[in-house]
Amino acid sequence: MNILIIEDEKELAQSMRHFLNQEGYICDVALNFEEAYENIQLHSYDCIVLDIMLPDGSGLDLLQKLKEEHSRAGVIIVSAKNALDDKIKGLNLGADDYLTKPFHLPELSARVKSIIRRRQFEGDKQVVFREIRVYPDEHRVFVNGTELDLTKKEFELLMYLIGNKNRALTREAIAEHLLGDQADMLDSLNFIYTHIKNLRKKIINAGGGDYIKTIYAIGYKFGEK
């Protein structure tokens, strides 16, 4: 899951990034309005943590741009204790949640997890596709009642595929989802084939169907025929 942290306090931004990385998220950091907007144009995010006060613009203006461009990212606005009007305006503009500084990092993680689950899977505690049952909060996957031993990347890949079932996904989109902006630095995307092959094998070996289809010269699609 990809997250963009927009926060001009560099130390706080890096603390958030480090904590969320440990929670299994891939995080980019933008320290100002211009950098944030550039990241949003170049990459797709599941959640954006948005500080309202930025040195070169307002986070609320950035939020408005996101909504005008129909961004699918969930947004958590971050504000100071005395910025009640900004919080209300942010929520009215379409933000999903807000946090008041100072806040505890585990609380931030819980809010991010809740938003991603709510947006991708309508808040379900479990995600079911035929004989495949996924528990996102626990990072556990069962096929016909048998638990799969998945790596973190295989789990993230499966969640991404199920969340976009019956859609053609390019290798580039999958790479960006798994690695964030680090994907741009890769010389080859062959690692995706390896993850796909291993995930498909584990599902089939547990008695599941072969739902991952290769689309020549494009990428992959998850779903029934």
Side-chain angles (χ1 to χ4, degrees), residues 25-218:
Y25 299 106
I26 299 165
C27 302
D28 295 336
V29 169
L31 300 175
N32 54 57
F33 185 103
E34 183 179 356
E35 187 179 354
Y37 190 63
E38 182 178 351
N39 272 272
I40 289 166
Q41 296 300 301
L42 293 175
H43 305 290
S44 176
Y45 295 100
D46 299 291
C47 185
I48 296 174
V49 182
L50 174 62
D51 188 4
I52 289 178
M53 301 298 294
L54 298 171
D56 56 342
S58 168
L60 294 176
D61 290 339
L62 190 58
L63 175 59
Q64 188 160 0
K65 284 181 176 291
L66 283 167
K67 297 308 173 182
E68 289 171 356
E69 295 173 10
H70 306 290
S71 170
R72 297 178 62 187
V75 178
I76 301 173
I77 55 174
V78 177
S79 65
K81 282 185 177 180
N82 59 353
L84 178 61
D85 289 344
D86 285 339
K87 288 181 198 172
I88 294 172
K89 187 175 181 181
L91 292 171
N92 287 336
L93 284 172
D96 297 271
D97 203 348
Y98 69 87
L99 277 173
T100 300
K101 292 183 181 180
F103 53 83
H104 296 292
L105 293 176
E107 181 182 3
L108 170 63
S109 178
R111 301 287 186 94
V112 167
K113 184 182 297 182
S114 176
I115 285 174
I116 290 175
R117 184 174 64 235
R118 185 166 69 242
R119 282 186 164 262
Q120 286 197 324
F121 302 107
E122 299 180 352
D124 291 342
K125 294 287 186 180
Q126 59 179 324
V127 179
V128 179
F129 179 83
R130 294 187 66 82
E131 68 275 10
I132 301 173
R133 189 176 299 271
V134 184
Y135 296 87
D137 289 349
E138 302 174 26
H139 279 224
R140 302 178 73 189
V141 178
F142 294 83
V143 175
N144 291 319
T146 299
E147 185 167 7
L148 302 189
D149 182 17
L150 300 184
T151 67
K152 185 174 76 170
K153 292 302 180 190
E154 289 166 0
F155 180 87
E156 292 173 358
L157 174 60
L158 178 60
M159 290 293 288
Y160 185 57
L161 292 173
I162 292 177
N164 292 277
K165 61 179 179 290
N166 298 320
R167 292 178 58 193
L169 301 172
T170 66
R171 285 181 289 272
E172 291 77 13
I174 295 172
E176 183 176 311
H177 178 77
L178 295 178
L179 298 178
D181 58 1
Q182 297 177 26
D184 296 335
M185 297 182 286
L186 296 177
D187 295 325
S188 169
L189 299 179
N190 289 338
F191 78 98
I192 295 174
Y193 169 76
T194 301
H195 286 318
I196 289 284
K197 181 184 70 173
N198 291 339
L199 177 60
R200 176 188 280 139
K201 182 178 179 181
K202 290 178 181 181
I203 293 173
I204 293 173
N205 285 349
D210 185 8
Y211 301 118
I212 306 175
K213 306 302 178 184
T214 301
I215 304 176
Y216 179 73
I218 297 177

